[in-house]
Amino acid sequence: MHNHGLDDKLLGHSIVFCLVPEDKELVSDMTLNMVAPKNILVYLKQKNTLNVSNIKQIYKVRAQDNKAIRGPRSKMQQLLKLLEDDKYVSRYIVCDDKVTVRDIFWSHPDSVKIFNTFSFVLIYDSTYKANKYRLPLLEIVGVTSTKMTYSVSFEFSKSEKEDNITWVLGICKTMLKDQENMPQVIITDHDITLMNSVSTMFPNSFASL
């Protein structure tokens, strides 16, 4: 029983914001072509001036597509599968339960090649609270002979203890085919833990702050 009459228009009702199957397919195709969600929404509204969908609908379709692609695998299992399929250099450490991933390291195959060519200068830095998991992200950046920078590797870690960082630098060190050609200059911030790990793994390198 309603104490008022039905609205003549569905303006404001959630069903109005839903995308039709044709638009959902378009969102999926544009996502595969690396189009940003906000640009997808702009295109849909330009294509149909009566479209009142919002950005949440775009993210919803993308989430459904990702879930369909990974199937029964968890997000972490899907990530590890993609890293293996694309031949990334990747390593990870699990917690005591032997299931939960605590630390994960990855480096693109092209980055490994460039790293073996230009390993003279490296820059180590960590970012904080820049992802939804609120985990510190350690990024290693190299410098080429033309003073251009490139990403060597990335690592998510549950904590920034010296053992964790030393583990990352150890993997980075093994990626060099010529073990005699170690980085000559390593630039870090004033993080004592990071500085200690660098001195342990690269004792002959010049550290700059």
Side-chain angles (χ1 to χ4, degrees):
M1 298 293 293
H2 293 273
N3 58 3
H4 58 81
L6 295 177
D7 292 334
D8 295 332
K9 298 181 180 179
L10 292 176
L11 184 64
H13 197 281
S14 59
I15 195 173
V16 178
F17 301 100
C18 294
L19 296 173
V20 298
E22 180 183 352
D23 289 341
K24 290 182 179 180
E25 184 177 353
L26 187 60
V27 172
S28 300
D29 292 340
M30 296 181 73
T31 299
L32 290 175
N33 287 282
M34 307 300 290
V35 180
K38 63 178 182 179
N39 294 332
I40 296 177
L41 182 61
V42 170
Y43 178 78
L44 292 178
K45 291 184 178 295
Q46 290 177 344
K47 178 173 171 288
N48 181 8
T49 56
L50 299 178
N51 189 318
V52 293
S53 299
N54 53 37
I55 195 69
K56 290 183 178 179
Q57 299 302 319
I58 306 299
Y59 283 116
K60 183 177 180 180
V61 173
R62 287 160 59 98
Q64 292 173 345
D65 290 343
N66 290 333
K67 186 175 181 180
I69 291 173
R70 72 171 184 264
R73 292 184 294 272
S74 66
K75 292 181 180 180
M76 181 56 69
Q77 290 173 333
Q78 177 68 5
L79 172 60
L80 295 176
K81 179 181 182 300
L82 293 176
L83 291 175
E84 182 179 357
D85 291 345
D86 293 336
K87 302 186 184 304
Y88 276 68
V89 174
S90 62
R91 303 286 188 276
Y92 63 90
I93 300 176
V94 295
C95 297
D96 294 336
D97 59 6
K98 306 298 182 182
V99 176
T100 306
V101 175
R102 190 191 72 187
D103 296 34
I104 182 169
F105 169 99
W106 71 94
S107 178
H108 193 277
D110 291 341
S111 297
V112 177
K113 294 178 182 179
I114 301 175
F115 179 45
N116 276 273
T117 304
F118 304 104
S119 59
F120 187 82
V121 179
L122 290 182
I123 303 170
Y124 294 86
D125 192 22
S126 294
T127 59
Y128 302 89
K129 301 179 181 180
N131 55 85
K132 68 177 183 179
Y133 302 106
R134 304 183 75 81
L135 294 174
L137 173 66
L138 174 64
E139 181 179 7
I140 302 176
V141 177
V143 181
T144 68
S145 59
T146 56
K147 299 182 180 180
M148 300 292 290
T149 59
Y150 67 94
S151 295
V152 177
S153 65
F154 301 90
E155 189 251 351
F156 277 121
S157 176
K158 186 178 180 180
S159 63
E160 281 194 297
K161 295 181 180 179
E162 189 170 333
D163 290 343
N164 301 81
I165 299 178
T166 301
W167 174 74
V168 175
L169 299 183
I171 299 174
C172 183
K173 188 175 181 179
T174 59
M175 292 195 304
L176 290 171
K177 295 181 179 180
D178 184 4
Q179 289 296 303
E180 300 296 327
N181 187 23
M182 291 290 115
Q184 299 299 307
V185 179
I186 298 178
I187 301 173
T188 67
D189 55 16
H190 287 274
D191 189 326
I192 301 299
T193 303
L194 181 56
M195 293 168 60
N196 291 339
S197 298
V198 169
S199 62
T200 299
M201 299 307 302
F202 301 101
N204 297 325
S205 300
F206 176 77
S208 177
L209 303 177

